Short mmCIF file of all heavy atoms in Angstrom, two decimals:
data_model
loop_
_atom_site.label_atom_id
_atom_site.label_comp_id
_atom_site.label_asym_id
_atom_site.label_seq_id
_atom_site.Cartn_x
_atom_site.Cartn_y
_atom_site.Cartn_z
N GLY A 15 1.00 -37.29 -7.54
CA GLY A 15 -0.41 -37.09 -7.16
C GLY A 15 -1.29 -37.26 -8.42
O GLY A 15 -0.83 -37.77 -9.45
N VAL A 16 -2.52 -36.87 -8.30
CA VAL A 16 -3.48 -37.06 -9.41
C VAL A 16 -2.94 -36.44 -10.68
O VAL A 16 -2.91 -37.06 -11.74
CB VAL A 16 -4.85 -36.45 -9.05
CG1 VAL A 16 -5.81 -36.51 -10.20
CG2 VAL A 16 -5.45 -37.19 -7.83
N MET A 17 -2.51 -35.19 -10.62
CA MET A 17 -2.07 -34.49 -11.80
C MET A 17 -0.75 -35.08 -12.34
O MET A 17 -0.65 -35.37 -13.53
CB MET A 17 -1.91 -32.98 -11.56
CG MET A 17 -1.54 -32.22 -12.81
SD MET A 17 -1.59 -30.43 -12.65
CE MET A 17 -0.27 -30.12 -11.51
N GLY A 18 0.21 -35.26 -11.49
CA GLY A 18 1.53 -35.76 -11.90
C GLY A 18 1.45 -37.13 -12.53
O GLY A 18 2.05 -37.41 -13.57
N ALA A 19 0.69 -38.03 -11.91
CA ALA A 19 0.55 -39.41 -12.43
C ALA A 19 -0.12 -39.39 -13.81
O ALA A 19 0.29 -40.14 -14.70
CB ALA A 19 -0.25 -40.27 -11.46
N GLN A 20 -1.12 -38.53 -14.01
CA GLN A 20 -1.81 -38.52 -15.29
C GLN A 20 -0.95 -37.84 -16.37
O GLN A 20 -0.99 -38.23 -17.53
CB GLN A 20 -3.16 -37.85 -15.16
CG GLN A 20 -4.09 -38.74 -14.33
CD GLN A 20 -5.52 -38.28 -14.30
OE1 GLN A 20 -6.02 -37.77 -15.29
NE2 GLN A 20 -6.18 -38.45 -13.16
N ILE A 21 -0.14 -36.87 -16.00
CA ILE A 21 0.80 -36.30 -16.96
C ILE A 21 1.78 -37.39 -17.40
O ILE A 21 2.09 -37.54 -18.58
CB ILE A 21 1.55 -35.11 -16.37
CG1 ILE A 21 0.60 -33.91 -16.17
CG2 ILE A 21 2.73 -34.70 -17.25
CD1 ILE A 21 1.19 -32.78 -15.34
N ALA A 22 2.27 -38.15 -16.43
CA ALA A 22 3.18 -39.26 -16.72
C ALA A 22 2.54 -40.28 -17.68
O ALA A 22 3.15 -40.77 -18.60
CB ALA A 22 3.63 -39.96 -15.44
N ALA A 23 1.24 -40.53 -17.46
CA ALA A 23 0.53 -41.52 -18.31
C ALA A 23 0.47 -40.99 -19.76
O ALA A 23 0.63 -41.79 -20.69
CB ALA A 23 -0.88 -41.74 -17.76
N HIS A 24 0.24 -39.71 -19.95
CA HIS A 24 0.16 -39.19 -21.30
C HIS A 24 1.49 -39.28 -22.03
O HIS A 24 1.52 -39.61 -23.21
CB HIS A 24 -0.36 -37.73 -21.27
CG HIS A 24 -1.82 -37.67 -20.98
ND1 HIS A 24 -2.78 -38.19 -21.81
CD2 HIS A 24 -2.45 -37.18 -19.90
CE1 HIS A 24 -3.98 -38.00 -21.27
NE2 HIS A 24 -3.81 -37.39 -20.10
N PHE A 25 2.59 -39.01 -21.35
CA PHE A 25 3.91 -39.21 -21.96
C PHE A 25 4.13 -40.71 -22.27
O PHE A 25 4.70 -41.02 -23.33
CB PHE A 25 5.04 -38.65 -21.05
CG PHE A 25 5.23 -37.18 -21.24
CD1 PHE A 25 4.75 -36.28 -20.28
CD2 PHE A 25 5.91 -36.68 -22.33
CE1 PHE A 25 4.93 -34.91 -20.44
CE2 PHE A 25 6.11 -35.31 -22.50
CZ PHE A 25 5.62 -34.44 -21.54
N ALA A 26 3.76 -41.57 -21.36
CA ALA A 26 3.92 -43.00 -21.58
C ALA A 26 3.11 -43.44 -22.82
O ALA A 26 3.58 -44.27 -23.62
CB ALA A 26 3.52 -43.79 -20.34
N ASN A 27 1.91 -42.88 -22.96
CA ASN A 27 1.08 -43.18 -24.16
C ASN A 27 1.83 -42.80 -25.44
O ASN A 27 1.65 -43.44 -26.45
CB ASN A 27 -0.23 -42.47 -24.11
CG ASN A 27 -1.19 -43.04 -23.08
OD1 ASN A 27 -1.09 -44.19 -22.75
ND2 ASN A 27 -2.08 -42.19 -22.57
#
Side-chain angles (χ1 to χ4, degrees):
V16 174
M17 185 170 67
Q20 291 188 37
I21 291 170
H24 287 294
F25 276 103
N27 287 334

